[in-house]
Amino acid sequence: MSETPELSPTETVFPNHAVYALALIFVIMGVVNSTPVIPGWDTLWQGITGIEKLKTRAFATEWFYPIVFFLMMLIVALKHSMWRDWRGTARAPLGAFMDIALVVAAAAISLTYLVEIDSVCLIDSLNGERARIMAQTLAAEIEFAETMGLPVPDTVEDPKCVNTTGVWLVAIMGISMLVFLGYNIKVWGLPLVAVALGIALYTIVTVLVWYFHGPDDVNKYLMTKLGGEPRTFLDGVPNVHDALVNTASGILGRFMNVIMNVVFPYIILGALFGKSAGGATLIKLAFRWTRRLRGGPAHAAIVSSAMFGTITGGPVVNVLSTGVLTIPMMIKRGFSRVFAGGMEAAASSGGSIMPPVMGVAAFILAAMTGVPYRDVIIAATLPAIAYFLCLFLSASFQSRKQGIEAFGALTEDMHVTREDLLHLCQIFLPILLILFLLLTPKDMVGCGPIGWILGADAAMQGDRCVVTSLPWVLQIFQNAAGDAGATGWWAALLVVVLMFLDKDFRARPRKLLDALSEAGITIATLYLMLLAVTVIDVCLNFTGLSRFVAIDVLRFLLSFDLGGGGSAFFQFIALAITMLLAVLLGMGMPAVPAYLNVALLMGPLLIGLGIANFTAHMFIFYFAIASAITPPVALAAFAASTITKAEPMATGFSAVRSGIVMFVIPFIFAFYPEILLVDQALIDPSSPSRAPLPGYENGVSVVGLMWLLMRLILALYLVASALAAFDAARLTVIWIAVRLATAVALMMQPEMIQLSALAFAVGLLALHHLGARRAQMV
């Protein structure tokens, strides 16, 4: 699940004991906070401690979030210290200043949050003003209720804070965000910060236009209003206040909620997997399963990356984990260094779209669309299978082209021992638990033989199972079913238990604490990145830029009179623009900000063109992942080139050629959303009643879906062979173009084109293979 750059060698993961200890404390706090609902859990601890109101999970966010935010930034400052990196140079004083500034800014934001948020009002609480106001308000409401004969209230809503930071709030927020962005340059690189600064500068300039020129006769793109007349900058204070305390888009808003309550257990899970012995056994299995295939190590790279990638979720981490074994083996078997690096980069990037765990960006997608994570898993399944199938075909055609034969023999290092099977349990059992919990509907828990055996009371009412009572164990199961955060928590706990099956781990149990501390550093560093994304989110919402772009581009496209075929044409143009923007903004960035930046800017446009909200976000998500292999800044390909010692840019283009289907599949599910297998992909975004898209009023036809999948598989075969320039024999440029055109025709409407393309493709392949066979006989 890691989205951070590759970790340094082990001795520098924890530069000092303070980082280790603080990260461990932070993780323990997060684990306790994200503890799933367990019947009797709070009562148990309240009885042990004697504290009636003790909270043992789901802490109050208005207190918990600012505390963990400060702790995270302190961890970042200690882990990525500029002063330590620049010590002994002329930049050391600047580094010390930035380290201190990051900690001070985090403390200022946390305290200001507590002062400004209405549920706390820190200053009012300390001086007694808040208690006095609430008592007066409650007395007035009781008097009113008694007068009107209404129920007497015993609580009141949180009053507005009286004592706040006032106009100083703007300075505190502005300076703090500059510090956070400055530190992002060091930790996450310039591209992300450049986008954030560009959009922030645009916001400031448009506000200045409004202030000095006024709102009249100014293009909407060039002016952002703070308020009415008379114009004053103080009208902007409520917007800054909202950017701090808003639970949806504030600094400690939805991204903090997603990180601490959903993603948190999975990052811990990934760190635990990294310390387990199961990863090495997975790679051993991949080589064992693919030894009879021509591609051999290339196919092993694909299999291991699919299995290992769904655990780590990060393309760079995946390359550096599996590539150190698969790349040398590919080169040894005869594949070029450029192809080996490109194939590994493409396969490792596919780990981020491989269910069930995928990556952090997938959890963000679920939060942005409001779609349960289990449905995200279901939707990602067929596209992921298609992607890895195309990689398999690419490896096969390349091995045919180079005359590489299957290895076949079962070597000593491929033998799976009893110990290896125990190690595999550390990987497969938690993943099975994740699938089982996420895919089980809550209302079905207790139904069936297992529920009856465990003592659940259930009865059939017509064709529906109604559960009246559940035993304690099944109550825990029901609480976790369909809940991504709870599922990850239980899976991480299961990994901890299973790791003790490994005798090496039992000899060094401190590896558990090491994994937890590394997870803490990863989460803290990830949230620093999300602060830059928050700047973009707040500014886009404030200026309305994304809404303006969506409306105007949509109006421009609709200005063309293209008759009945216009809708599909408009969608294709908008999708192509979104693809280019996603790849452009994703250069040099991890998938999370790449996805969020484009989703915030272009998502409304795609939805306005009639593409379902979920499908639009899936489309953008895919290209955010694809940016990891897209030159000129292809992070996964560049990581692979450090192993192959090949030219990085050539490796990037090779990765695109191997993983080209990642650029194709999003267009397919944009026009054929049934391939995503979930109802959310079929909802008409223009319908207030959430009616289905035109053509899907009666749901998805199974026969139609099978027909689509058959055409897709044939199209993938044609594309993979064309890009390898080889099938049963070498392909000329003309035949490469013919195959690509036929693949496109297979996926086009209407059905007559599809049938014609299918007949042509079958004849084309039959003639090619027959000709190749005759050539071999001569």
Side-chain angles (χ1 to χ4, degrees), residues 27-197:
V27 166
I28 291 171
M29 291 172 61
V31 167
V32 174
N33 173 70
S34 59
T35 301
V37 177
I38 302 173
W41 184 254
D42 286 336
T43 306
L44 171 66
W45 288 103
Q46 288 166 2
I48 292 173
T49 61
I51 304 173
E52 284 187 23
K53 296 184 178 180
L54 178 69
K55 290 279 289 183
T56 55
R57 56 173 300 278
F59 302 134
T61 57
E62 60 266 32
W63 287 101
F64 183 64
Y65 285 176
I67 291 171
V68 295
F69 173 71
F70 173 73
L71 194 53
M72 283 192 285
M73 294 305 102
L74 182 57
I75 291 169
V76 170
L78 292 172
K79 164 63 180 172
H80 299 282
S81 170
M82 292 186 184
W83 172 80
R84 187 177 58 246
D85 290 350
W86 295 343
R87 187 169 44 189
T89 70
R91 293 186 294 174
L94 175 61
F97 171 79
M98 288 299 297
D99 292 344
I100 295 170
L102 179 63
V103 177
V104 171
I109 289 294
S110 297
L111 286 173
T112 305
Y113 180 86
L114 292 171
V115 168
E116 296 285 343
I117 193 167
D118 292 335
S119 57
V120 177
C121 296
L122 184 61
I123 297 176
D124 292 346
S125 297
L126 292 175
N127 63 18
E129 185 74 12
R130 180 175 179 78
R132 184 185 64 78
I133 294 173
M134 292 182 73
Q136 288 180 349
T137 305
L138 181 59
E141 291 195 6
I142 290 174
E143 182 181 351
F144 176 79
E146 290 175 344
T147 302
M148 301 300 294
L150 299 172
V152 177
D154 55 3
T155 60
V156 293
E157 293 183 2
D158 293 328
K160 293 288 183 181
C161 302
V162 176
N163 296 284
T164 65
T165 56
V167 296
W168 288 101
L169 173 64
V170 178
I172 293 169
M173 285 283 288
I175 295 171
S176 297
M177 294 313 297
L178 284 175
V179 172
F180 297 145
L181 290 176
Y183 227 88
N184 260 294
I185 295 175
K186 196 266 183 183
V187 178
W188 289 102
L190 184 59
L192 173 61
V193 177
V195 173
L197 284 176

Side-chain angles (χ1 to χ4, degrees), residues 145-401:
E146 290 175 344
T147 302
M148 301 300 294
L150 299 172
V152 177
D154 55 3
T155 60
V156 293
E157 293 183 2
D158 293 328
K160 293 288 183 181
C161 302
V162 176
N163 296 284
T164 65
T165 56
V167 296
W168 288 101
L169 173 64
V170 178
I172 293 169
M173 285 283 288
I175 295 171
S176 297
M177 294 313 297
L178 284 175
V179 172
F180 297 145
L181 290 176
Y183 227 88
N184 260 294
I185 295 175
K186 196 266 183 183
V187 178
W188 289 102
L190 184 59
L192 173 61
V193 177
V195 173
L197 284 176
I199 294 178
L201 184 62
Y202 165 80
T203 304
I204 293 170
V205 169
T206 55
V207 167
L208 291 176
V209 170
W210 166 82
Y211 180 75
F212 287 106
H213 183 278
D216 300 326
D217 302 321
V218 180
N219 185 281
K220 62 187 176 183
Y221 287 101
L222 302 178
M223 182 267 297
T224 298
K225 295 177 67 173
L226 292 181
E229 299 291 341
R231 298 188 299 275
T232 170
F233 284 128
L234 292 178
D235 290 338
V237 173
N239 293 296
V240 178
H241 179 272
D242 186 65
L244 175 65
V245 302
N246 192 318
T247 57
S249 58
I251 291 177
L252 305 183
R254 61 176 167 184
F255 293 142
M256 178 68 83
N257 177 60
V258 171
I259 287 293
M260 296 306 301
N261 295 316
V262 180
V263 177
F264 194 95
Y266 290 93
I267 294 180
I268 293 175
L269 184 65
L272 292 171
F273 278 146
K275 294 295 181 183
S276 74
T281 307
L282 275 181
I283 297 174
K284 179 188 289 189
L285 273 183
F287 278 105
R288 180 186 178 97
W289 290 342
T290 59
R291 71 186 189 279
R292 299 187 188 280
L293 300 175
R294 279 177 171 267
H299 287 125
I302 296 166
V303 172
S304 61
S305 293
M307 293 189 295
F308 198 81
T310 193
I311 297 168
T312 65
V316 174
V317 175
N318 201 357
V319 167
L320 298 174
S321 300
T322 61
V324 292
L325 293 175
T326 58
I327 287 175
M329 288 294 290
M330 279 190 271
I331 295 172
K332 186 177 179 181
R333 289 292 304 280
F335 291 106
S336 71
R337 292 180 181 273
V338 170
F339 175 83
M343 176 57 72
E344 177 59 44
S348 294
S349 297
S352 298
I353 59 171
M354 185 67 185
V357 181
M358 302 167 73
V360 174
F363 290 96
I364 301 289
L365 182 148
M368 291 281 286
T369 58
V371 173
Y373 189 68
R374 67 168 177 267
D375 289 342
V376 175
I377 289 176
I378 294 170
T381 300
L382 287 182
I385 292 172
Y387 179 73
F388 283 101
L389 172 62
C390 193
L391 288 183
F392 244 80
L393 292 171
S394 296
S396 296
F397 292 134
Q398 186 67 27
S399 58
R400 286 185 193 175
K401 183 178 180 179

